[in-house]
Amino acid sequence: LEWIVTSEESGSKLLAFLVQRLQGQYSARFLKRSIEHNGCYINGHIERFASTVLGKGDHVCLRLESTTQTFPKIVETSRILLEDEALLVYDK
């Protein structure tokens, strides 16, 4: 995902900019973790601080695949405490 910062967006913090541009598709917490794990670039350079102030014309690139979670491939069914179509409770 890539954007160019407009004059109206200039002066906003990176996290607020991403939340606004993505219109609630991802939580602020998820986006902040994406930034902190090298998933965001400003003008071609990795940015790790969600509080970075953006300027007009900045090129913001967000790569979400760097923060995807992986789950264990082997699940012990005896450790599943509760399961339905919306929830799985697993005893680690």
Side-chain angles (χ1 to χ4, degrees):
L1 303 167
E2 297 183 31
W3 304 274
I4 302 294
V5 178
T6 66
S7 57
E8 293 83 24
E9 296 165 328
S10 178
S12 63
K13 293 185 178 182
L14 177 59
L15 183 58
F17 171 83
L18 292 174
V19 168
Q20 188 271 328
R21 281 296 185 116
L22 292 169
Q23 300 175 352
Q25 292 177 352
Y26 302 96
S27 70
R29 184 177 184 177
F30 175 81
L31 293 172
K32 185 174 183 195
R33 284 188 180 164
S34 297
I35 295 166
E36 291 170 349
H37 290 96
N38 301 330
C40 188
Y41 295 79
I42 298 178
N43 300 325
H45 301 285
I46 293 174
E47 182 54 60
R48 298 193 67 205
F49 297 99
S51 61
T52 298
V53 178
L54 300 172
K56 179 183 176 188
D58 281 346
H59 180 253
V60 179
C61 178
L62 181 66
R63 298 192 326 178
L64 296 174
E65 67 272 0
S66 65
T67 60
T68 56
Q69 281 188 323
T70 58
F71 294 97
K73 295 181 181 186
I74 300 173
V75 175
E76 296 177 38
T77 55
S78 63
R79 300 184 90 180
I80 296 175
L81 303 176
L82 173 69
E83 181 179 12
D84 65 19
E85 65 245 8
L87 180 67
L88 173 69
V89 179
Y90 186 79
D91 181 19
K92 292 184 357 181

